[in-house]
Amino acid sequence: MPSPQIRPLDLADDATAAAVHRIGRAAYAVEAEIIGFDGIPALRESLAEMRAQDLRWVGAVSESGELAGFLAWEEEPDRGSGIGIDRLCVAPAFFRRGIASLLLRHALAELFPGRPVQVTTGAANIPAVRLYEALGFTRGPDFSPVPGLTMAAFRRAPADAPWEGRRGTSDSA
């Protein structure tokens, strides 16, 4: 299978927003099973709420034009021009095809090279934990935003930058 193309996503487009919302819900449902916690905020988010997020979006689009996955992030001006990855989701039909890695590698190299990047995931989400570690992220302290949920915080920083944990984002890689 040829490698999907990475493209910016415009959530003002109804079809694009609907596809992103559908994929996000499906991916977060799988993560909820993996981590044993179904209270992931994006899992319950409406289409309108998702569109209202102040995020930038890119997607991996298959040769047939199907959205295989997406990455959304925010600029963090209060954290030294850092980036906060808010979501990294892959459509279940595209699991284990390197889509999350493709999206993340593209973002690190092309969209925010040399900038500190932070992300969190459920600590029990071993596929996501392995992905971040494989791509040079350093795991910081785990934290529990609510009882029964342990999150792992990761940072990929320029060599001399101090580690600062970021709370409040999740992924379903």
Side-chain angles (χ1 to χ4, degrees):
M1 174 177 106
S3 188
Q5 298 290 317
I6 305 297
R7 300 182 185 153
L9 297 177
D10 179 5
L11 270 59
D13 175 77
D14 290 338
T16 300
V20 167
H21 191 250
R22 179 182 39 79
I23 290 168
R25 282 185 167 227
Y28 281 117
V30 172
E31 183 177 20
E33 264 187 56
I34 290 171
I35 67 173
F37 180 78
D38 66 359
I40 298 169
L43 189 55
R44 301 198 187 320
E45 182 177 68
S46 72
L47 179 61
E49 290 168 333
M50 181 194 73
R51 282 175 136 171
Q53 298 292 319
D54 188 21
L55 300 172
R56 296 182 61 194
W57 304 78
V58 293
V61 180
S62 73
E63 191 174 78
S64 66
E66 185 178 1
L67 185 62
F70 61 85
L71 183 143
W73 72 96
E74 62 186 341
E75 304 278 332
E76 296 185 328
D78 61 325
R79 296 194 188 243
S81 299
I83 299 294
I85 294 176
D86 189 76
R87 22 193 122 193
L88 174 57
C89 295
V90 175
F94 287 90
F95 280 4
R96 293 179 173 61
R97 296 190 195 180
I99 303 299
S101 178
L102 177 71
L103 283 161
L104 196 50
R105 287 177 192 275
H106 173 83
L108 293 170
E110 303 295 326
L111 301 175
F112 26 87
R115 295 175 70 188
V117 179
Q118 298 181 68
V119 66
T120 63
T121 189
N125 186 346
I126 301 306
V129 168
R130 287 184 180 151
L131 173 65
Y132 296 126
E133 290 174 344
L135 292 181
F137 284 77
T138 301
R139 188 167 179 168
D142 288 357
F143 64 98
S144 293
V146 295
L149 174 64
T150 302
M151 299 293 291
F154 291 88
R155 179 177 172 88
R156 189 169 188 261
D160 59 349
W163 199 96
E164 292 178 37
R166 181 178 193 302
R167 291 172 167 67
T169 61
S170 180
D171 74 83
S172 182

